[in-house]
Structure formats: C-alpha cells, structure tokens
Amino acid sequence: MKKTYIVASRGSKLAVIQSESVIKALSQLYPDIKFELKLITTEGDKDKRTALWDLKSSGFFTSQVEDSLISSNADLAIHSFKDLPTEMPEQLIVAAVCKREFPEDCLVAAEKISSINELPLSAKIGTSSLRRAVQVKRLRSDLQPMPIRGNVPTRVRLVKEGKFDAVILARAGLERLGMANEISVCFEPQEFIPAPAQGALAVQTRATDSELNKLVSGIDDRISRLEALAERQILVTTGCGCHAPVGAFAKITGETIRICAFISGAEGVNFIRREIEGPAVSAQSLGEKLANEMLAAGGREILEKIERCEEK
C-alpha cells in the first residue's frame, strides 16, 4: 500500500486547481507516494460581504487550513503565498515555494480595451485591495475604486452584468483558471506594484516532519523563494498587515535582485516608492533595508495614521 499524505486546501475552484498542480508535481517526483486532497472552509470563504480592506485580522483565507496541520488532520497545505500572514504559527514552516509565474495585476473590462486610458470617465473599478485602489487613482484620478467580493469568475461576471466597468485581478488566478482570454490589460509589475509574493504558491508543513519536509523541498524553486521572501520582508519590517496599501515586487536576473516597493496613504495622496538592487543571496536583508528607507521617508507616519483610523 502506498504511503499517503493529506494535502489541505481551501475549497475554491482556484485553490483546488493550485493545489492539484502542486500534487501533480509531487506525484511526478514521488510516484510511490499518494497525496490526497482535503478541502477546508475558511472565514474568507464564509464571509463574502466584508471588504478586505475593512478586515481587522490576518489569516482570513489561511488560518483554518493551518489549524488542520497543527491538529494533524492534514500533513501539508497549499496556499497562495500572498495570503499567508508574515507571522506563522511556530509549529509550521514553508517547506517549498513553487516556481512563480505571472506576478502582475491585470484589468478585466466590460469592453475590450488596450489601455486603462480607454475606460470611460469616472469608471467603476471593482477591487478588494487598497493597494490596487490607490494605484488606480494615481493612474487616473477620476476612476472610482469600489469594494468587490467573490471568487474570480464571480468578479468577471459582475463586470459582464454591468455592475462594474472593470475589475483588477491577479493575472496568475485568471491564467490558472483558463480565463486569460478575459484579460484586457496587463500592468507592468514595476509600475503597478503587486502584493508581496503574488503569483507564488507556498507549501506549508509542520516543522518537525523532517521526512516530509525533505520530500517537499524537491519542488522548491530557489529564485521564486528568494523573490517572494524579499517582497514579504517589506511587510515584516513595516509591521503592516497584508491589507495595507503596500506593494512590493522583486526580480532576480542572474545573481542580482532588484526590488521596488511602495507605502501609501489610504487615499493615495502620500505615496512613497523606492527601489534597491544588490546580490540575490541578500534578498531579505535588501528588502529590510528598502522597507526602512520608506519608513524613514514618511512611511511610518502613513501607517500609524491608517492604524489610528482602523481603531476608530
């Protein structure tokens, strides 16, 4: 009988597709081992009304999945890395970061367009992200970012039904769902900066499961891990949550990494953007340095103001 490992995942269509892709990669490496998918319902799957930028806690899409590992009801879990809080339970680790593709954001519009400038005046833009909202307003001050919830197909449908003129989504999700034909415009990630670790899949395990961790490390992609960790270091150093108007994008070329990031006020008025370049092996320390530069340039005051507003 084959040894079996239980793989925990959110139950959304996208999450299942992502988890199945990881299971396929592991099964190809280890054909004598069975990886069995177990679907978990998270708070994010239950609450489809609250705007994500109004959330006071992290782990909205991950904590129940993590609980299944801690309670040994699953052996490994697959997450969109951008959804994982920077502070994980001490019992858990990210044993692998799969090769990342399509880290950028894209626009799905009601009418086929080739530029955001072709959207109508005061167009309604659906987005669940303050990070996206402030960047949209910087591109065109007349555009109206509006909260939207639901899975990717639901958001695309709302555009087709005329509820929104366009929505902004992660390109990776549309590509994995086979919906790339719905994309109107792809943003350059150095210019419209994505969420830290966007497009990357993280395989989470218990730290003590040394045998499984060694197996899972076989699908770890070094470049994707370094890029994602550099981006997430921005969140770690600034101490802000994953729903704050903060973005980061890292790109490794050869042995060099370039990181660009921003911190913004909720209205996009105070917008601090910085870049840094250095050795790829120093990815996280460079991310930390970049974050501290932004904090010193006024980012600390911006984040404190946002925190005070959230407490009211």
Side-chain angles (χ1 to χ4, degrees), residues 108-111 124 148-149 153-167 182:
V108 174
E111 303 291 335
K124 295 183 292 184
I148 186 172
R149 288 295 311 278
T154 296
R155 298 186 194 196
V156 172
R157 176 174 54 78
L158 290 173
V159 172
K160 293 183 176 181
E161 291 175 352
K163 303 292 195 310
F164 299 89
D165 295 292
V167 292
E182 302 287 355

Side-chain angles (χ1 to χ4, degrees), residues 127-157:
T127 176
S128 59
S129 159
L130 268 181
R131 172 189 60 79
R132 290 169 176 158
V134 300
Q135 291 188 97
V136 161
K137 294 293 286 184
R138 286 180 62 81
L139 290 175
R140 272 185 54 180
S141 60
D142 65 294
L143 298 178
Q144 300 181 58
M146 301 180 70
I148 186 172
R149 288 295 311 278
N151 58 29
V152 172
T154 296
R155 298 186 194 196
V156 172
R157 176 174 54 78

Side-chain angles (χ1 to χ4, degrees), residues 92-113:
L92 306 180
I93 63 169
V94 173
V97 178
C98 303
K99 183 174 175 57
R100 176 164 74 163
E101 294 181 307
F102 310 118
E104 63 269 28
D105 283 314
C106 64
L107 192 76
V108 174
E111 303 291 335
K112 268 299 182 185
I113 58 174

Side-chain angles (χ1 to χ4, degrees), residues 210-245:
S210 55
E211 181 182 348
L212 176 58
N213 293 336
K214 184 176 180 180
L215 292 175
V216 171
S217 69
I219 61 170
D220 185 63
D221 184 81
R222 173 181 174 270
I223 289 177
S224 298
R225 175 182 282 272
L226 287 173
E227 290 174 344
L229 292 180
E231 294 165 11
R232 283 170 62 84
Q233 189 62 44
I234 303 296
L235 297 179
V236 172
T237 304
T238 58
C240 64
C242 55
H243 305 304

Side-chain angles (χ1 to χ4, degrees), residues 5-9 22 26 35 68-69 74-78 203-206 212 216:
Y5 288 110
I6 304 299
V7 183
S9 167
V22 175
L26 288 169
F35 297 90
S68 70
L69 287 182
D75 301 298
L76 59 155
I78 315 301
V203 185
Q204 194 178 40
T205 59
R206 288 181 291 274
L212 176 58
V216 171

